[in-house]
Amino acid sequence: MDPVSHQPPPRLSWINTLYSNFGFGEGSEGERGEDPPPTQDGAETLPFIDESPTSSPQPSATAPEDQHSPPPTPDGTPEPGRQLEMRGLVLSGVLASEEIYLNQLEALLLPLRPLKAAATTSQPVLSHQQIDTIFYRLPDIHQAHHTFTQSLRPCLQNWHPHNTVGQLFHTLAESLGLYKEFVDNYKLAVEMVERCSLTNSNFRKISEDLKVKNSRDPKETSTSVKLEALLYKPIDRVTRSTLVLHDLLQHTPPEHPDYPLLQDALRISHNFLSSINQEIGERRTPVDMAKGESRQLVRDGFMVEVSDGVRKQRHVFLFTDLLLCAKLKKQAGGKQQQYECKWYVPLSELVLLSGEEVDGPLVQAVPDYELEEAKVKISHSMNELQREKRQPGRAVERLKKKVYDLESWLLLHSPAIPLRMHQRNGKSFQFLLSSDYERCEWRETIEKLQRKDVQGLVLSSLELQMLMGSCVKLRTVHNLPVTSNKEDEEGAGLWGFLHVIVRSARGFRSSASLYCTLEVDSFGYFVSKAKTRVFRDTTEPQWNEEFEIELEGSRWVRVLCYETSLDKLKLHKDDNEIIDNVLFRGQLQLDETLAQSKSWQPATLEMDGVEVDMSVKFTSRDLSLKRTPSRKQTGVFGVKISIVTKRERSKVPYVVRQCLEELVKRGIEEVGIYRVSGVATDIQALRAAFDSNAKDVLLMLTDLDIHAIAGTLKLYFRQLPEPLLTDRLHPAFLQGVALSDPAARENCMLHLLRSLPEPNASTFLFLLQHLKRVAEREAVNKMSVHNLATVFGPTLLRPSEIQTPSATPSHAWSHEIMAQVQVLLYYLQHPPLTASELRRNSLTYPM
C-alpha cells in the first residue's frame, strides 16, 4: 500500500476560533485517532485499558498463496520458515498499531500550539502552568514514536525475513523513561482537565470535541473524542510494551541478529513496568470466605447467601431446634478459627418457601462463559503448580493462593438454584445452591425436624458465644471443596467422558409423568448434564436412553427423578426455578475401578422403595476424542470433507446443511442448545441414516429431539479424519490467536482463514454464520459466543494425531485446548465475513 498520508485533518471550529481571535498563523500538531475507551469510576483508578482488536492498514507487500507449511519441530517450536513468516505478520501489525497510536497522539497534541499562543494574550484559555501539567511529556513521547515509525515503515515496504529491526525496538525501549514521568503526572493532568472544564467553557468545548480520523478509511468522517480518553492512550500503550516484544521474540530465531537486542529491550520494558506497577496495576477485590456451625448438629454445609443483591459464602448449620448461618473468621497466623454468627432462626419460626410463593426480583445468574473462563484459569494454574512442586519455594505458595482464590470465586458465583425461607413475622433469607439434589436434602431434613414439635427459643449473648465456639468442633464439613483443602489421597477424580444408560425405574406408588436428570460434580460443585424424555402416566418408566457426559475431576454422578408439574401457573418461572416434584434421588461414586474397566458396569440406585436401573462406562478424553478415519469411504462420518463434497458436488456437506437447517427451524431458541447432551442412541441412528444415504433421513430430522440433531452435527466434526481447520494450519492458528498486538492478530487470523482448502473454508464460514445467529438469541437460549467457542473450539481444531505425555488431570484444560477455544472465539467475535469477501479483501503482509 502507499505510505500513510500525513496531510493535516480538517480544521476544527474551536481551533479556527482561537486562531481568528488572536491572529495566529496556520499550523497543527496532530491529525487522527480512534474511538476512546470508557473510563472507570473512581478518582484514584486509571481508566479502562482498551484491548479490543483493531482493524488496521497493512504495509505494501502481497501475500502469496499459502504453500504447504512445514509442521512444528518435535520440541513444539515452529520451523524457521514459519517462524520468520509469523515475524513478518507481527511486524506488520506493529506498524499499523504504531500509526494508529501516532494518530491518537497527534489528535491529542492538536490544541497544544494554539493554547500556548493564547496563553500569551490578555484572554488566555489556560495558563502556561495548566498547559504544561495537561500535556506534560506528550511532545517527547510523540517524537520518540514518530522516529520509530518513520524508520520501521521503509523496512517493511522493502521486506526480507532477515531484515534487522532490533535496534529500533531497543531505542524505543530506552525512551520508556518518558512514560515514567508521564505516569507520575497522569493523575494531576486528569484532575487539571476536569477542573479547567468546570471553570472554563472554552476549554470544556475543546476537551470534549477532539476529532480523530478513521485510520482504516481516511474518507470517513472524523469521530469526536474527549481529551481525558486520549490522555489515557499512552498509559494503555506502555502497558502493552512487553506484549509485542514477547511476540517478536517468539517468532525470531535465536541465531537472528535481532534476538539479543529484542531480549534486552524486553528486559528494559519488564523493569520499567515493575517500577510503575503500583500506579497501573489491577486492583483486586478480595473474595469473602465463610463457614459456620451449631448444637446437636444434624447437617451442615456451604451455601451462597444473597443479601441486598450481593453473594456471600456462608457455612450453614442445622441443629435439632434452629438453623444458624455463620461466617468463618481467620485469626492472625491462620492457626485459630472463630465463627461469626450472621443470624439464626428457631425451627419453630422457620418457613420454607416454594418458587410460586416468592415475589420480587430474582437473582441474576453469572454468565456461563465467566464460569468456564474461571475453570480454564484454575486448570492453567494447576498445571503450573504441578511443575513448580518439583522445586518447592515461594512460587508454589503463590500458585496455591491463586488456585484457592479462583476456586473460591467459582464456588461463590456458580450456584443458581434458590432455597428461600423466612422467619415468621421477621426477615426473609435466600440461599443459592448448585444442585437440586442438595436443595431437596436440606428441605427434607428441615421439614422432618419441624414435625417433631420443636419449641421456640431465644439465645442469650453468652449462649450464642458458646454456640459459636462449639462450631469449630461440631462441624462435619470443615472446608470449602477447593483443591488446597483436599488431601492428596483423595485422588483427582475422573477426567474424560462418562457414558450413562438410564434404563428404567420401579416402585412408584402412583402413575405420573416421569423424567430423570443427571448431575456430576465439577470443580467443587454439581452441574446438571442430561435429561431423559418424559415417560407419561406410568409407575414403571422404561427410558433406555444413553448419554455421554464430560467429566472434569468428577467423583459422583447423581440421578434425580421428577414428576412433571401440571400447574400451568408454575410454568413461567425463572429458568433456575425447578418447579417439578422430586420423587427420587440417588448417587453413584465414580472411582478408579470404573476408570480401569472398559465394559459397561450395571448399577441400581434405591431410595424409599424406588429403584432406578442404569449402566455406566468411562472413556478417557484422548480415546473419546481421537479422530479415527472410517474404513467405509462411501459414507459421511469419518470421511475426509474433500471426498464428501466432491461426491455430493457441493461446497458444504449435506449432513451439515440439513442439520443446521433443522436447528434453525426449531433449535435456535432452545435453552442450552449444543451444550445439553442429546440421547446417544438417537444420535447414532441419525448418523447411520446419513452414512447410508437413507431416504427417510429428512423425516428423522423432523421427528428427533433437537439436542440429538445438535449432537449429530458435533459428532460429524469430531469424527472428521482431519480437523476442519486442518492439521497443517493448526500450529499457525494457535500462534496467531496468541499474538498480543490486535492488528497483527487480525492480519494473521484472516490470512489463515483464506489458506484453508475451499470445502473447509466454506463449511467453516457456513457454520460460523449459524453459530453467530445462535449467540444473537443468548437471552433466550443461554448460549453466548464464549459458550459456543468452548463447545466447538476443540471439535473443529483438535489435531488428528496428538502425542502427549502421560497427562495429569488438569491437562484436560491444557494450554492447547484453551487456545483452540480462543481461536473460534476470535472468529465468532469478528465482524461477518463471507468467502467472496475474503477473496476480494485479500490481506497483505510482509514475507
Side-chain angles (χ1 to χ4, degrees), residues 432-469:
L432 296 177
L433 300 95
S434 65
S435 166
D436 200 28
Y437 190 103
E438 295 171 19
R439 180 168 68 171
C440 288
E441 288 186 325
W442 279 97
R443 292 183 69 97
E444 287 181 10
T445 307
I446 291 172
E447 290 169 349
K448 183 177 180 181
L449 290 171
Q450 288 178 324
R451 287 196 290 269
K452 295 181 179 180
D453 191 28
V454 290
Q455 302 298 312
L457 60 95
V458 176
L459 295 180
S460 67
S461 58
L462 179 60
E463 289 174 318
L464 188 59
Q465 183 179 353
M466 292 176 63
L467 184 59
M468 288 290 91

Side-chain angles (χ1 to χ4, degrees), residues 576-634:
N576 295 322
E577 292 280 11
I578 302 174
I579 55 177
D580 293 337
N581 299 320
V582 177
L583 300 184
F584 169 89
R585 66 177 187 275
Q587 59 183 0
L588 177 69
Q589 186 171 6
L590 307 175
D591 54 24
E592 288 301 319
T593 305
L594 176 64
Q596 294 167 5
S597 174
K598 296 182 180 180
S599 59
W600 286 97
Q601 301 295 311
T604 299
L605 304 179
E606 190 274 336
M607 186 189 87
D608 295 338
V610 176
E611 295 181 347
V612 174
D613 294 328
M614 55 192 295
S615 299
V616 294
K617 182 175 70 172
F618 174 75
T619 306
S620 68
R621 176 181 290 271
D622 288 341
L623 183 61
S624 181
L625 295 180
K626 185 177 180 181
R627 298 183 184 275
T628 305
S630 173
R631 296 180 181 179
K632 185 180 178 182
Q633 292 298 296
T634 56

Side-chain angles (χ1 to χ4, degrees), residues 498-504 514-518 530-535 541-549 600 613-616 677-683 705 707-708:
L498 183 69
H499 302 266
V500 181
I501 300 177
V502 182
R503 299 193 181 280
S504 60
L514 305 168
Y515 68 91
C516 282
T517 64
L518 302 176
K531 176 182 174 181
T532 67
R533 294 189 184 91
V534 177
F535 215 90
Q542 303 287 324
W543 292 292
N544 292 315
E545 295 184 33
E546 181 183 342
F547 302 93
E548 182 184 76
I549 298 173
W600 286 97
D613 294 328
M614 55 192 295
S615 299
V616 294
S677 300
V679 178
T681 46
D682 290 345
I683 293 172
D705 176 70
H707 293 295

Side-chain angles (χ1 to χ4, degrees), residues 133 170 406 478:
T133 300
H170 194 273
L406 286 167
H478 295 98

Side-chain angles (χ1 to χ4, degrees), residues 299 302-304 311 411 414-419 431-443 517-522 524-529 556-560 562 576-578 582 584-587:
R299 179 183 177 88
F302 291 99
M303 294 191 209
V304 173
R311 292 172 178 250
L411 291 175
S414 57
I417 298 175
L419 173 62
F431 292 105
L432 296 177
L433 300 95
S434 65
S435 166
D436 200 28
Y437 190 103
E438 295 171 19
R439 180 168 68 171
C440 288
E441 288 186 325
W442 279 97
R443 292 183 69 97
T517 64
L518 302 176
E519 299 179 349
V520 295
D521 57 313
S522 169
Y525 65 98
F526 279 82
V527 182
S528 183
K529 288 285 191 176
W556 296 92
V557 58
R558 289 173 169 175
V559 180
L560 294 98
Y562 292 88
N576 295 322
E577 292 280 11
I578 302 174
V582 177
F584 169 89
R585 66 177 187 275
Q587 59 183 0

Side-chain angles (χ1 to χ4, degrees), residues 304 313 407-415 480-482 523-525:
V304 173
Q313 194 69 253
E407 291 184 313
S408 299
W409 182 94
L410 192 61
L411 291 175
L412 184 68
H413 292 87
S414 57
L480 281 169
V482 296
F523 291 86
Y525 65 98

